[in-house]
Amino acid sequence: MNIKLVLNFLGKLFLIEAMLMLPALGVSIAYGQGDAMAFVYSIIAILAVSLPLTLIFRPKDHQMYAREALAVAGLGWLLMSLLGGLPLVFSGACSFIDAFFEITSGFTTTGATIMTDIESLSNGLHFWRTFTHWIGGMGVLVFTTAILPTIGGRGAHLARAESPGPTFSKLTPKLGDTAKIMYMIYFVLTFIEIIALLLAGMSLFDAVLHAFSTAGTGGFSNRALSIGAFNNLAVEIIIAVFMFLFGINFAVYFKLFNRDFKGALKNEEVKLYSLIAFCAILVITLNLIPYYGDFFTALRYASFQVPTIMSTTGYATANFNLWPSFSKMLLMSLMLFGACAGSTAGGLKMTRLVMLLKMARREIRRAFQPRKIQVIKLDGKTVPEETLAQVSMLFFCHVLLILVGAVVVSLEEVSFTTAFTTSLTCISNVGPGLEVVGPIGSFAGYSAPTKVFLSILMLAGRLELYPILILFSPAAWRRG
């Protein structure tokens, strides 16, 4: 492990985090609600950490291998969450542990909150909370790759360590150009959503906050009742559409931009994602008709809650805690796989579900065709057996971690449903679960150790386990 290189890069990462706090500081000054100094103190504290790391640790070898990239990803996200919570601490909004949980939830785009009186926060803090969604949605290391051209060949390992999905593919020969294209798509979609929300009647501030939160598929809102507080059908439709769009692999948008319509339309992952969303909306609507009394009201709520859960955004327009058991069970099932790889959504990703289904079909066929060589293809390309093995292992580890998380949370003497959905929603980066942690609940009732544990689960889910696991492996930190 090249520790000097890791520490030097972390210093640059924290320097960028300090710069990213400047817009929130500007909002605080503009609204004059007395929280500006909290951001000033936070920026000074982060600079006090970042500058020594950058200036003192100067590595001789600048080549970053997979081990260093995983360490940077794991430590970077963990420490950025710790430092990112400082404005909440300095403003007196919450304790250090609660701030760590809240901002970890922000950067990982989980949207779980410990805030019980969310509307009492200042506009500056509201802006920072939702801005962490926007930053974390695309990835802090991808952002770093886009603005630091000196990274060079090191960027590929960094992107692989952070990017969700079984594989990482560059859209262009140069990774820095790929990162810039992805952020251009990200920015354009965010801007279009802001305009649409303004036309639907939202204020500029609310539109920006909820566009950030939707783009990052995070779910933080400045309203206690989330999107339901606006009671605006046009707003619900716009946000539902954009939640679905941000759950699609950005490589598909790149193909559409380059007029490769055939390549975009044959994407198997997007097809499955769309099919599951449509079917889930339909069956939940039918299940909710007796609950709401008419088809269109049931459709309104189902067509919002399905994309918000599948995209792992976690907004709410209804308290689905009170829905029939079938609808609740289906929503919880959608949490596991989430949306598409290469999107801002959490979960295991639809591309892995496609591969697992094809592997299951192959094993069934092998029962009566044992000698036939059967390869698995995705979008017409053969998937390497190594990738299939990695998908199977990650699926096993993901499910195992959900079960372990549920067992640990159950020590809080909560119900089975609360414990299980708490673990599931944190690892899948969704936000709301059921019962205590439902759409109108919060995670405030958990003890400090449990909040730290859940924060680690959120990070493990966002980074797909390995960058967090490497932090606890002594062998990974040895030289050589």
Side-chain angles (χ1 to χ4, degrees), residues 77 81 101-112 129-140 164 186 212-220 246 308-309 311-315 343-347 349 425-432 458-459 461-463:
W77 279 73
S81 298
F101 179 94
E102 193 77 7
I103 298 303
T104 301
S105 181
F107 278 127
T108 60
T109 72
T110 304
R129 285 174 77 244
T130 56
F131 193 43
T132 58
H133 279 335
W134 197 83
I135 298 165
M138 189 62 69
V140 291
Y186 195 43
F212 282 165
S213 199
T214 305
T217 60
F220 278 157
F246 280 109
T308 194
I309 293 298
S311 68
T312 70
T313 306
Y315 280 140
S343 70
T344 60
K349 309 298 180 296
T425 195
C426 285
I427 294 171
S428 294
N429 304 133
V430 178
M458 288 188 277
L459 289 166
R462 172 59 179 83
L463 298 175

Side-chain angles (χ1 to χ4, degrees), residues 113 138 141 269 319 330 404 446:
T113 183
M138 189 62 69
L141 300 183
E269 183 185 28
N319 183 7
L330 186 53
V404 171
Y446 287 123

Side-chain angles (χ1 to χ4, degrees), residues 9-324:
F9 195 89
L10 287 175
K12 294 176 181 177
L13 202 60
F14 301 150
L15 181 61
I16 291 172
E17 182 177 28
M19 293 169 52
L20 291 172
M21 279 191 184
L22 293 176
L25 173 60
V27 171
S28 299
I29 294 172
Y31 281 93
Q33 295 175 324
D35 60 336
M37 291 309 298
F39 286 101
V40 172
Y41 295 147
S42 299
I43 291 171
I44 292 172
I46 294 172
L47 290 177
V49 175
S50 65
L51 292 178
L53 289 176
T54 306
L55 298 175
I56 295 174
F57 296 98
R58 295 179 177 272
K60 296 179 181 179
D61 182 7
H62 290 272
Q63 182 63 41
M64 183 173 288
Y65 298 98
R67 190 164 52 167
E68 286 81 11
L70 288 169
V72 166
L75 278 175
W77 279 73
L78 177 64
L79 297 177
M80 279 189 70
S81 298
L82 283 168
L83 296 172
L86 291 178
L88 292 170
V89 177
F90 287 132
S91 67
C94 59
S95 67
F96 182 77
I97 295 296
D98 284 354
F100 172 55
F101 179 94
E102 193 77 7
I103 298 303
T104 301
S105 181
F107 278 127
T108 60
T109 72
T110 304
T113 183
I114 49 82
M115 297 292 178
T116 55
D117 186 16
I118 192 67
E119 294 177 16
S120 67
L121 289 181
S122 66
N123 286 343
L125 293 177
H126 276 306
F127 183 90
W128 175 239
R129 285 174 77 244
T130 56
F131 193 43
T132 58
H133 279 335
W134 197 83
I135 298 165
M138 189 62 69
V140 291
L141 300 183
V142 172
F143 180 80
T144 305
T145 303
I147 66 173
L148 292 181
T150 56
I151 291 175
R154 294 180 276 166
H157 286 303
L158 286 172
R160 289 190 186 97
E162 181 183 62
S163 298
T167 59
F168 172 77
S169 57
K170 294 190 291 184
L171 303 180
T172 61
K174 292 184 178 180
L175 185 66
D177 292 339
T178 295
K180 290 171 184 176
I181 289 171
M182 291 174 67
Y183 261 99
M184 180 188 71
I185 296 169
Y186 195 43
F187 179 83
V188 169
L189 285 174
T190 305
F191 181 75
I192 293 172
E193 185 182 0
I194 291 172
I195 299 301
L197 290 174
L198 286 172
L199 294 174
M202 265 193 177
S203 68
L204 177 60
F205 186 72
D206 285 343
V208 170
L209 292 190
H210 290 89
F212 282 165
S213 199
T214 305
T217 60
F220 278 157
S221 174
N222 59 343
R223 298 288 195 278
L225 296 178
S226 189
I227 304 302
F230 296 97
N231 194 27
N232 185 321
L233 180 59
V235 166
E236 293 172 23
I237 292 172
I238 291 166
I239 290 179
V241 168
F242 276 92
M243 286 189 295
F244 181 84
L245 293 177
F246 280 109
I248 293 175
N249 193 326
F250 276 42
V252 173
Y253 295 127
F254 182 72
K255 289 180 179 180
L256 291 174
F257 179 76
N258 286 327
R259 298 185 180 181
D260 182 11
F261 302 113
K262 184 177 179 181
L265 293 175
K266 77 175 185 178
N267 187 286
E268 293 183 55
E269 183 185 28
V270 175
K271 288 180 181 178
L272 183 63
Y273 173 55
S274 304
L275 177 64
I276 291 177
F278 174 80
C279 293
I281 290 171
L282 178 61
V283 296
I284 289 179
T285 297
L286 295 175
N287 187 237
L288 291 179
I289 289 175
Y291 182 80
Y292 284 109
D294 68 274
F295 174 81
F296 291 105
T297 303
L299 177 63
R300 173 180 179 177
Y301 292 115
S303 59
F304 187 90
Q305 290 307 142
V306 167
T308 194
I309 293 298
M310 282 194 72
S311 68
T312 70
T313 306
Y315 280 140
T317 55
N319 183 7
F320 54 78
N321 248 334
L322 305 177
W323 284 6

Side-chain angles (χ1 to χ4, degrees), residues 334-400:
L334 295 176
M335 284 185 182
L336 183 60
F337 284 96
C340 302
S343 70
T344 60
L348 276 168
K349 309 298 180 296
M350 282 291 152
T351 186
R352 290 194 177 93
L353 178 57
V354 173
M355 292 182 194
L356 288 169
L357 291 174
K358 290 189 174 187
M359 281 190 278
R361 183 179 63 182
R362 182 173 70 173
E363 292 306 310
I364 293 172
R365 287 180 174 177
R366 277 180 175 173
F368 55 86
Q369 294 178 319
R371 296 184 179 180
K372 184 178 180 180
I373 298 176
Q374 302 180 56
V375 297
I376 290 177
K377 293 185 177 182
L378 186 66
D379 299 334
K381 298 179 181 178
T382 300
V383 180
E385 291 297 320
E386 181 184 1
T387 300
L388 296 175
Q390 291 172 352
V391 167
S392 300
M393 180 54 66
L394 185 64
F395 175 71
F396 170 77
C397 292
H398 193 89
V399 173
L400 181 62

